[in-house]
């Protein structure tokens, strides 16, 4: 049976197949020395899809993809969609227990992974585990076309932090994905002469933009090596060596580029840079424009609205004082409503509600949460379905929106969306914890999390903080582990008996201010390299102490703090310490060992 025309025009698999068949000789993916043409990619994707269908995968099914960033990851992801199912990409660097909980929630028909990662999954997990060499070797006949299906079938499953302690998964349809990619192509056109880097982790929905958009446009995807997404020097080399024309990065990575690279270095070869995920400052916009002729576009949008729903091309204005998130993109409606669901007066702040083709189908197996966040609003007309974003905005006279903050307890740390309630719910599951509270404090790149615990009767408070930190590391991604954890006899309350979060934020800010700001004088050899590294970390991270096995990023480290540590150690050691030394060896012990290796290498010259 032939798929209806309207569905064919809005299904990503059909559109990709048409693109690959038109120009099979063009490069589709480049990873290191590997170059895969569109024709070769098509063949591998269809073989993967055939293998999945031979193992019982059907439309409406879900398939988990558990690969390092690679050609194999892209082939697996596309093979799932061409089999008619939805792919749920899982970051291989997340704690194993969190991965298993995610898989339990997702209930995939199949999990695709590599031989190297196969041992992380038991044989009795309730789903079939296939490695890339297994399904590549299967001789199932590739289907001539994608399976018939609706544009409203799910194509992608995106997991985000959940306020109840349980991650939630948004189901993204073919129609929503195609709508967003078409909108990008309308305003930031790419063709076969363009190249875009894929470096964003698959836990952040912008990875969809980095892969599907250039493939649909006929451009080439340059795949960054695993683990190098924080390494600005490495990404800068990719931009230069592969003549990148289109680049997406979160705001903090954009700032890192401008801090770490030679101030005289320019990025005029890039035509367009997209950013978002965090507030973008006017000063950063001006610094970027001083270094590149490329356009800079600020994107905004929650995962539940598929990649983005507003965009604002930053003007080259020396007097720019506010960066906006822009107006609605195509096939999107925006409403600014008050607490009662009524439209606010023009220019007044209110909560942003989002409608249109980009809306997710809802949350996987969460009907109550879906009903709470995806609402039918009289303000948008009868039967209109809107996503309640929780973001506070104000409209300018020209329709562009100004982002003002959140109306709930969701925060962003280094561009990652975090529900504080999920961290608290995880902490109270730890042995010895009676109550837990987590707050965010600071702003911009200094924003971080602080945790507070009330112990059970008889529990040693001196050991509780470290044991809870270790437990959280096993359950949560790095960005969700508080930089500091303190134990208190009780949590402060407001006069009406509620937790006084403002006071906790004040405590956290004061603790940060009171942290050590000095380090041992003299050459590190005199004080001991371990002690010197610990002191430098305390100064940069603004924490009282660090342990030998503490992870720099668990303690609130980010790309900017990596730069500060590396610059300090270069000065103290007189050795060229690369950024990668801390990015790849993020514990005190590992970093010290790498520094000693670099010192020995320098002495041998």
């Amino acid at each position: 049976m032939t798929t209806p025309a309207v569905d064919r025009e809005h299904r990503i698999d059909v559109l990709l197949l048409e693109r690959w068949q038109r120009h099979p000789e063009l490069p589709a993916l480049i990873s290191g020395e590997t170059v895969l043409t569109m024709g070769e990619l098509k063949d591998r994707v269809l073989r993967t899809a055939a293998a999945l269908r031979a193992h019982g995968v059907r439309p409406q099914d879900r398939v988990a993809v558990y690969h390092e960033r690679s050609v194999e990851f892209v082939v697996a992801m596309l093979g799932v969609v061409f089999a008619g199912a939805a792919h749920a990409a899982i970051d291989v660097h997340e704690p194993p227990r969190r991965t298993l909980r995610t898989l339990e929630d997702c209930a995939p028909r199949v999990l695709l992974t590599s031989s190297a990662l196969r041992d992380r999954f038991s044989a009795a997990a309730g789903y079939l585990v296939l490695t890339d060499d297994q399904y590549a070797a299967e001789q199932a006949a590739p289907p001539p076309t994608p399976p018939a299906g609706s544009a409203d079938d799910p194509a992608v499953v995106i997991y985000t932090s959940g306020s109840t302690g349980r991650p939630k998964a948004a189901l993204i349809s073919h129609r929503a994905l195609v709508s967003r990619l078409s909108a990008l192509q309308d305003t930031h056109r790419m063709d076969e002469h363009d190249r875009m880097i894929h470096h964003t982790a698959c836990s952040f929905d912008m990875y969809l933009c980095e892969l599907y958009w250039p493939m649909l446009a006929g451009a080439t995807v340059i795949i960054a090596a695993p683990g190098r997404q924080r390494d600005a020097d490495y990404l800068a080399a990719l931009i230069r060596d592969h003549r990148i024309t289109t680049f997406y990065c979160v705001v903090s990575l954009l700032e890192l580029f401008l801090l770490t690279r030679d101030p005289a270095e320019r990025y005029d070869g890039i035509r367009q840079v997209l950013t978002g995920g965090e507030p973008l400052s006017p000063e950063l916009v001006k610094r970027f424009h001083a270094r590149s002729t490329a356009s800079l576009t600020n994107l905004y949008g929650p995962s539940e609205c598929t990649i983005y729903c507003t965009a604002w091309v930053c003007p080259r204005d020396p007097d720019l004082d506010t960066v906006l998130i822009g107006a609605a993109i195509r096939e999107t409606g925006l409403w600014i409503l008050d607490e009662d669901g009524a439209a606010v007066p023009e220019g007044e702040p209110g909560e942003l509600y989002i409608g249109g083709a980009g809306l997710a189908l809802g949350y996987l197996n969460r009907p109550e949460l879906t009903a709470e966040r995806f609402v039918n609003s009289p303000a948008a007309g009868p039967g209109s379905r809107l996503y309640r974003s929780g973001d506070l905005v104000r409209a300018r006279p020209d329709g562009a929106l100004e982002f003002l903050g959140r109306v709930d307890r969701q925060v962003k740390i280094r561009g990652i969306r975090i529900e504080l309630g999920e961290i608290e719910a995880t902490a109270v599951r730890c042995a010895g914890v009676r109550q837990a509270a987590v707050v965010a404090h600071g702003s911009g790149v200094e924003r971080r999390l602080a945790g507070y615990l009330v112990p059970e009767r008889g529990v040693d408070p001196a050991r509780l903080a470290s044991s809870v930190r270790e437990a959280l590391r096993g359950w949560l991604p790095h960005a969700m582990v508080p930089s500091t954890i303190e134990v208190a006899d009780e949590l402060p309350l407001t006069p009406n008996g509620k937790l006084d979060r403002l006071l906790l934020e004040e405590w956290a800010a004061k603790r940060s201010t009171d942290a050590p700001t000095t380090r041992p004088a003299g050459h590190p050899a005199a004080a001991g390299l371990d002690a010197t590294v610990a002191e430098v970390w305390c100064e940069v991270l603004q924490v009282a102490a660090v342990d030998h096995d503490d992870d720099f990023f668990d303690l609130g480290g980010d790309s900017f703090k990596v730069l500060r540590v590396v610059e300090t150690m270069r000065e103290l050691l007189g050795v060229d310490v690369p950024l990668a030394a801390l990015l790849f060896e993020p514990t005190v012990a590992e970093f010290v060992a790498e520094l000693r290796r670099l010192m020995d290498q320098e002495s041998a010259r």
Side-chain angles (χ1 to χ4, degrees):
M1 180 181 293
T2 303
T3 307
V6 64
D7 279 348
R8 294 186 65 82
E9 293 171 1
H10 295 89
R11 282 191 62 97
I12 190 67
D13 46 2
V14 173
L15 296 175
L16 283 174
L17 188 61
E18 290 175 352
R19 164 61 68 180
W20 296 338
Q21 289 174 336
R22 274 202 306 274
H23 296 288
E25 77 287 353
L26 292 178
L29 305 176
I30 296 178
S31 178
E33 300 299 316
T34 301
V35 179
L36 213 63
T37 67
M38 293 184 182
E40 291 167 336
L41 178 59
K42 181 198 74 172
D43 291 343
R44 288 186 59 174
V45 167
L46 291 181
R47 283 200 302 272
T48 302
L52 287 171
R53 294 176 72 185
H55 283 285
V57 172
R58 296 293 180 264
Q60 306 297 324
D61 281 345
R62 294 172 297 280
V63 174
V65 176
Y66 192 81
H67 276 280
E68 290 273 18
R69 184 169 44 249
S70 59
V71 168
E72 288 72 25
F73 169 78
V74 179
V75 169
M77 179 190 77
L78 294 172
V80 173
V81 172
F82 273 74
H87 60 75
I90 300 175
D91 190 340
V92 301
H93 300 290
E94 287 195 345
R97 284 188 290 183
R98 184 180 178 87
T99 296
L100 294 177
R101 286 178 65 205
T102 299
L103 289 169
E104 182 181 354
D105 181 79
C106 180
R109 173 81 64 177
V110 176
L111 181 141
L112 300 179
T113 188
S114 65
S115 299
L117 300 174
R118 173 66 180 83
D119 289 344
R120 297 186 184 185
F121 306 98
S122 84
Y127 46 82
L128 176 67
V129 179
L130 289 176
T131 61
D132 51 347
D133 51 354
Q134 286 178 315
Y135 56 77
E138 294 197 6
Q139 299 301 312
T145 61
S150 165
D152 296 313
D153 287 343
V156 182
V157 181
I158 289 284
Y159 274 88
T160 62
S161 179
S163 59
T164 63
R166 174 184 168 193
K168 55 185 184 291
L171 294 173
I172 308 299
S173 69
H174 284 260
R175 186 186 307 280
L177 185 57
V178 170
S179 174
R180 291 302 189 243
L181 299 173
S182 299
L184 277 168
Q185 185 67 353
D186 280 353
T187 56
H188 295 73
R189 187 169 185 79
M190 283 199 290
D191 59 27
E192 64 271 17
H193 302 293
D194 287 290
R195 292 184 166 196
M196 186 173 188
I197 297 176
H198 164 46
H199 66 96
T200 298
C202 62
S203 53
F204 185 24
D205 66 353
M206 282 307 300
Y207 88 93
L208 300 170
C209 166
E210 294 174 345
L211 290 173
Y212 280 114
W213 177 26
M215 285 192 291
L216 201 59
T220 304
V221 177
I222 309 299
I223 301 175
R228 305 300 296 271
Q229 63 271 16
R230 291 189 183 122
D231 190 340
D233 291 344
Y234 169 76
L235 293 177
L238 280 188
I239 290 171
R240 179 188 64 246
D241 296 344
H242 288 279
R243 302 183 304 281
I244 299 301
T245 62
T246 302
F247 185 51
Y248 172 85
C249 62
V250 294
V251 170
S252 55
L253 182 57
L254 178 63
E255 187 156 11
L256 182 70
F257 261 91
L258 302 184
L259 285 173
T260 58
R261 306 299 299 164
D262 186 331
E265 184 176 31
R266 295 188 59 83
Y267 299 95
D268 294 329
I270 302 178
R271 287 195 303 107
Q272 49 196 7
V273 172
L274 312 175
T275 191
E278 302 165 278
L280 177 61
S281 71
E283 292 72 24
L284 181 54
V285 172
K286 295 170 191 176
R287 277 188 279 144
F288 173 80
H289 282 152
R291 302 272 293 275
S292 178
T293 57
S295 63
L296 179 64
T297 303
N298 192 29
L299 304 181
Y300 159 84
S303 298
E304 290 85 348
C305 296
T306 313
I307 304 176
Y308 80 127
C309 60
T310 72
W312 194 64
V313 179
C314 302
R316 292 182 176 271
D317 181 359
D319 299 320
L320 183 68
D321 59 1
T322 303
V323 176
L324 305 179
I325 60 173
I329 61 172
R330 59 175 282 184
E331 298 187 305
T332 300
L334 304 177
W335 286 263
I336 304 174
L337 308 179
D338 63 19
E339 293 179 354
D340 298 320
V344 301
E346 186 174 352
E348 292 296 313
E351 184 176 355
L352 180 62
Y353 287 67
I354 305 162
L359 257 61
L361 299 171
Y363 295 114
L364 175 65
N365 299 328
R366 306 285 288 275
E368 292 182 0
L369 184 60
T370 298
E372 175 188 332
R373 305 306 299 182
F374 294 86
V375 300
N376 292 316
S377 173
S384 295
R385 180 169 169 268
L386 304 180
Y387 173 69
R388 185 176 183 178
S389 72
D391 288 331
L392 195 65
V393 301
R394 174 170 48 219
R396 296 293 185 93
D398 63 356
L401 301 184
E402 179 182 358
F403 178 79
L404 302 175
R406 291 287 300 176
V407 299
D408 57 18
R409 297 182 55 227
Q410 186 186 106
V411 300
K412 281 198 173 182
I413 303 292
R414 300 192 293 278
I416 299 172
R417 194 169 105 183
I418 294 171
E419 294 280 4
L420 299 179
E422 180 176 359
I423 308 173
E424 293 170 347
T426 304
V428 296
R429 292 206 307 268
C430 298
V433 177
R434 179 160 59 91
Q435 289 178 285
V438 178
V439 295
H441 65 101
S443 60
V445 298
E446 297 298 329
R447 193 157 176 78
R448 64 186 64 191
L449 300 174
Y452 294 89
L453 309 173
V454 175
E456 297 278 7
R457 187 184 301 274
V459 172
D460 181 3
R463 295 188 174 186
L464 185 61
S466 60
S467 67
V468 169
R469 175 185 297 283
E470 190 62 30
L472 293 181
R473 285 175 178 168
W475 281 106
L476 301 172
H478 285 323
M480 294 180 69
V481 178
S483 304
T484 58
I485 297 178
E486 297 187 43
V487 179
D489 292 335
E490 59 184 17
L491 297 177
L493 303 177
T494 63
N496 63 4
K498 294 183 178 180
L499 179 64
D500 193 339
R501 295 187 180 276
L502 291 178
L503 183 56
L504 287 180
E505 290 173 13
E506 291 177 11
W507 288 2
K510 185 177 187 304
R511 187 186 194 281
S512 178
T513 303
D514 293 343
T517 57
T518 59
R519 58 177 178 267
H523 193 277
L529 188 56
D530 294 65
T532 301
V533 167
E535 290 288 349
V536 171
W537 281 28
C538 286
E539 177 182 340
V540 171
L541 296 169
Q542 296 186 348
V543 296
V546 296
D547 293 330
H548 207 54
D549 60 351
D550 273 343
D551 186 289
F552 186 78
F553 299 99
D554 283 352
L555 296 173
D558 55 32
S559 298
F560 301 97
K561 295 181 179 68
V562 168
L563 176 62
R564 288 172 57 190
V565 168
V566 165
E567 286 181 337
T568 300
M569 297 313 300
R570 286 171 180 167
E571 177 186 342
L572 290 172
L573 299 176
V575 173
D576 183 17
V577 181
L579 291 177
L582 182 50
L583 293 171
F584 291 137
E585 311 294 347
T587 69
V588 173
E590 292 168 341
F591 185 50
V592 167
E594 179 63 11
L595 291 177
R596 288 202 172 101
R597 188 188 69 79
L598 292 169
M599 293 168 67
D600 291 344
Q601 192 177 67
E602 182 68 22
S603 298
R605 289 177 180 172

